[in-house]
Amino acid sequence: MLGMMFNEKECKELDYVLRKELDEMLLDLSDQRLDKEIRHAISNRYKTVFRMYARFAPSKELSKYARRG
């Protein structure tokens, strides 16, 4: 396991970047034009980024990005 220390500005930037990435992946996952393999790869990546975001996001904010299934 690795550890990192961030200052307040860096934490806000990381929060922003992860939220935007989650938003983009949710948009891609809702696009039915993408084939199954691509959607599966995006879904796996989404899980990883979501777990990263879950380490510091408030539960109210986190619930916006929780996926079913």
Side-chain angles (χ1 to χ4, degrees):
M1 176 177 281
L2 295 174
M4 298 178 77
M5 293 182 66
F6 296 108
N7 63 33
E8 187 67 28
K9 184 178 180 181
E10 293 166 335
C11 285
K12 287 180 182 180
E13 184 64 25
L14 180 60
D15 177 74
Y16 174 80
V17 169
L18 292 176
R19 281 188 292 112
K20 291 303 166 193
E21 192 64 28
L22 290 169
D23 286 336
E24 286 294 321
M25 286 188 281
L26 283 175
L27 184 63
D28 290 343
L29 288 169
S30 68
D31 187 349
Q32 298 302 317
R33 297 173 295 173
L34 298 176
D35 67 11
K36 188 176 181 178
E37 292 83 22
I38 293 174
R39 290 167 49 84
H40 182 70
I42 293 169
S43 179
N44 286 339
R45 186 162 183 262
Y46 186 91
K47 291 173 189 174
T48 301
V49 175
F50 181 81
R51 284 193 306 263
M52 290 170 60
Y53 185 60
R55 291 179 183 256
F56 60 86
S59 59
K60 183 178 180 181
E61 195 62 31
L62 192 59
S63 66
K64 295 177 184 178
Y65 296 102
R67 291 184 62 214
R68 295 185 183 183

